[in-house]
Amino acid sequence: MARKPRWYEKLLKFSRRRRATSSRYTRAANKPCALYSDSDCVKLSKDAETFAFRHKKLLERAPLQVYGTALVLSPTTNGIRNHYWDDRLPSIIGVQANIGDNWDTEFETIGWNISRVDVVAFSPDGKMLASGLNDKTVRLWDTETGVRKQTLKAHTDKIGAVAPSPDNKMLASGSWDKTVHLWNTQNGTHIRTLEGPGHTVPSIVFSPNGKILAFSSYEIPSPPWDIGTGTHESTVWLWDTGTGTHRQTLKGHTDFITAVAFSSDNRMLASSSEDNTLRLWDVETGTHVQTLEGDTDFVTAVAFSSDNRIFASAWSDNKVRLWGAGISTHQQALKKDSRYQDRLAALFSNSEGSRNPAFSELSSKTNCVRSIPVGGRIEALSFTADYRLLITDMGVICLDDILQPPVIAPSTTSPRSEPPAENIGYLLGYEIYELGDRITRHGKRILYLADEYAPCCLTFSHSTVAVGTETGKVIILKFASE
């Protein structure tokens, strides 16, 4: 087969007007047409004209995305998409973007008053995606087909957080209406309402065994521009998911709570806040155990490994800090973070300074803390079950070369391309650029997302990324594993 031509670059030389004529598109696409019958050639020429017109704004801003984003965001029946996909986007093996087989007839009239997607979250098995919108609804999506499974309606204000349960059977949603709702993800039925907070709910998490739901609430200042004056109540609530009864109220933070996370044995809870503190709590009694006080930085996300041997925290200085047993001291690309060495050791010790039995590995002073620069603020962290990967809302961090010894030895039969030393950790390669408008691989732009597909929230699940947009659209991209 003849080499596929760069038809769009040729097309740009013909005209800079709003819309080129069909004859010019036909000439621009004449070489691809040589591979098809006359009728197919006419169809391909028309597809080329429609393709360029529909993606006009994108291609004026980023012309080379004619072989990237424009292909991804075109209907599956478009000839240009099908002609160039295998050569140009071999690493993308699946895409769901609510586009379907044909162009949206209202493409040009779509407005910015359409509901925005504020939060997205994958189920633990990656087969379902939950999206929370500012139109007060939660939508559940099948990640394989892109089909919307359920639309959940009960909240009276925009959605602030969503969290699927570990067994994928329930979903919790928190809202600015000061309530939390539990849903059955199989049929979309409403299970119960938790009305305890009295304030907006920005974060939710299930315990690993699914029996406890933790969520934070935050008192919005009145007027809202007084957020920097005084202190505002910020609380963590614990509820029994089976009975709907309130278990504990954890008070101590004086500013917005950025994250909550359970230890893998369900016994401890970590909470972080913009008050520059990271607190540990006893889940059973609600007792405050220890506090780590930061300097000018605060923790934005926290996670425990499945065996409670590694604790990960993302910070406002755009670094992820790893603490625990088995972290390599020989990885030269990761600097030892002496500033937080003693503080993290103390965090997991008891009040007398000896080892906390709940954290036998984490409370050792012989552990080291390592910092991974990630180039942006991370607001979500979670380990995979084998703790090889650290899933973030900016990308996937592979820990094979960070843990000592490696969890799984590098393959000798399928060598992988290594990122630069300063990007160590992002060994799987796909991440969101810090400006949030492009997906990159080892620092090289793959897709540029703008206009109606501009991201306002996103989440990863292994090699799959889901993007929520300003116009209510959800994009799910599945990349080939390296």
Side-chain angles (χ1 to χ4, degrees):
M1 181 176 290
R3 178 180 177 273
K4 294 175 182 177
R6 298 185 176 182
W7 62 272
Y8 193 79
E9 286 90 326
K10 294 182 179 181
L11 180 62
L12 292 177
K13 295 179 181 179
F14 287 127
S15 177
R16 293 184 178 275
R17 291 185 300 175
R18 180 174 181 272
R19 190 172 184 178
T21 63
S22 298
S23 61
R24 283 173 175 165
Y25 277 86
T26 302
R27 282 183 289 166
N30 59 358
K31 289 187 178 180
C33 283
L35 304 174
Y36 299 93
S37 65
D38 290 344
S39 59
D40 289 339
C41 182
V42 172
K43 180 180 184 303
L44 186 65
S45 297
K46 292 181 178 180
D47 282 351
E49 180 179 6
T50 305
F51 179 92
F53 177 62
R54 295 287 187 166
H55 295 299
K56 177 176 180 290
K57 293 180 181 179
L58 168 67
L59 300 181
E60 286 178 347
R61 187 176 307 177
L64 292 181
Q65 287 302 311
V66 67
Y67 297 124
T69 306
L71 294 180
V72 169
L73 302 181
S74 294
T76 55
T77 56
N78 182 265
I80 297 300
R81 180 187 192 272
N82 295 330
H83 187 82
Y84 287 106
W85 187 281
D86 289 343
D87 276 1
R88 298 293 181 170
L89 297 173
S91 63
I92 301 179
I93 60 178
V95 55
Q96 304 296 339
N98 312 128
I99 296 172
D101 296 332
N102 299 290
W103 294 105
D104 181 356
T105 57
E106 298 182 3
F107 184 97
E108 290 297 310
T109 61
I110 194 167
W112 295 102
N113 58 343
I114 296 177
S115 300
R116 182 181 68 247
V117 180
D118 286 326
V119 290
V120 284
F122 281 105
S123 61
D125 62 6
K127 295 181 179 180
M128 182 192 76
L129 180 78
S131 61
L133 288 78
N134 68 349
D135 68 355
K136 313 169 191 176
T137 67
V138 176
R139 299 176 184 178
L140 305 183
W141 307 86
D142 185 307
T143 59
E144 292 296 325
T145 65
V147 173
R148 187 196 303 181
K149 298 171 60 179
Q150 307 287 348
T151 299
L152 313 178
K153 299 180 180 180
H155 289 291
T156 58
D157 207 336
K158 63 182 180 179
I159 310 301
V162 291
S165 63
D167 62 3
N168 308 298
K169 294 181 179 180
M170 282 195 300
L171 180 93
S173 60
S175 169
W176 284 53
D177 66 7
K178 307 176 184 180
T179 66
V180 173
H181 291 280
L182 290 180
W183 308 86
N184 183 316
T185 59
Q186 307 304 308
N187 54 29
T189 57
H190 182 260
I191 299 174
R192 61 175 51 91
T193 302
L194 310 179
E195 299 181 341
H199 304 299
T200 184
V201 179
S203 59
I204 302 179
V205 64
F206 281 89
S207 62
N209 61 12
K211 295 181 179 181
I212 304 173
L213 182 72
F215 56 84
S216 64
S217 65
Y218 179 64
E219 177 189 6
I220 300 296
S222 183
W225 53 83
D226 283 346
I227 193 167
T229 63
T231 61
H232 307 281
E233 183 179 359
S234 201
T235 308
V236 178
W237 300 74
L238 303 181
W239 291 76
D240 187 298
T241 58
T243 63
T245 56
H246 174 238
R247 292 172 57 107
Q248 304 289 349
T249 301
L250 313 180
K251 295 185 178 182
H253 288 297
T254 58
D255 207 336
F256 183 82
I257 293 175
T258 55
V260 288
F262 284 93
S263 61
S264 60
D265 59 6
N266 310 287
R267 295 168 61 186
M268 291 287 176
L269 182 89
S271 62
S272 59
S273 169
E274 292 184 3
D275 63 9
N276 288 8
T277 67
L278 172 61
R279 295 172 180 264
L280 282 182
W281 311 84
D282 185 298
V283 172
E284 185 63 32
T285 65
T287 304
H288 171 240
V289 178
Q290 291 286 13
T291 299
L292 181 154
E293 293 187 3
D295 297 328
T296 57
D297 305 316
F298 58 89
V299 177
T300 58
V302 290
F304 292 90
S305 65
S306 58
D307 60 358
N308 259 15
R309 296 176 72 241
I310 304 173
F311 177 73
S313 55
W315 293 69
S316 58
D317 62 355
N318 298 341
K319 292 181 180 179
V320 171
R321 290 180 170 88
L322 297 176
W323 169 264
I327 296 177
S328 173
T329 59
H330 305 294
Q331 179 52 261
Q332 298 300 315
L334 298 179
K335 296 181 179 179
K336 184 175 181 179
D337 197 331
S338 57
R339 183 161 62 120
Y340 285 97
Q341 180 79 25
D342 293 338
R343 300 184 198 192
L344 280 164
L347 179 67
F348 294 104
S349 301
N350 60 28
S351 57
E352 288 77 30
S354 58
R355 289 194 179 192
N356 187 325
F359 299 108
S360 58
E361 300 279 5
L362 291 175
S363 58
S364 173
K365 291 186 178 181
T366 61
N367 291 340
C368 68
V369 55
R370 296 283 171 169
S371 297
I372 304 174
V374 291
R377 176 167 166 170
I378 286 176
E379 297 183 348
L381 281 177
S382 63
F383 284 92
T384 53
D386 60 6
Y387 57 87
R388 284 188 59 223
L389 307 177
L390 189 60
I391 311 297
T392 83
D393 58 346
M394 283 188 64
V396 180
I397 300 175
C398 181
L399 302 180
D400 281 356
D401 297 338
I402 298 172
L403 302 181
Q404 179 67 30
V407 178
I408 296 179
S411 171
T412 57
T413 58
S414 55
R416 64 187 176 197
S417 57
E418 296 293 337
E422 60 269 20
N423 291 332
I424 194 75
Y426 274 66
L427 301 183
L428 293 190
Y430 295 103
E431 59 262 1
I432 295 293
Y433 183 68
E434 63 178 310
L435 295 181
D437 61 357
R438 65 205 72 178
I439 297 175
T440 63
R441 177 177 180 267
H442 299 337
K444 182 180 179 181
R445 181 191 301 180
I446 300 295
L447 297 176
Y448 174 72
L449 302 174
D451 300 323
E452 66 171 314
Y453 291 99
C456 53
C457 61
L458 52 105
T459 184
F460 280 80
S461 175
H462 297 270
S463 57
T464 303
V465 60
V467 179
T469 70
E470 291 281 352
T471 56
K473 294 180 181 292
V474 173
I475 308 170
I476 302 173
L477 298 169
K478 186 175 183 180
F479 295 93
S481 299
E482 295 188 346

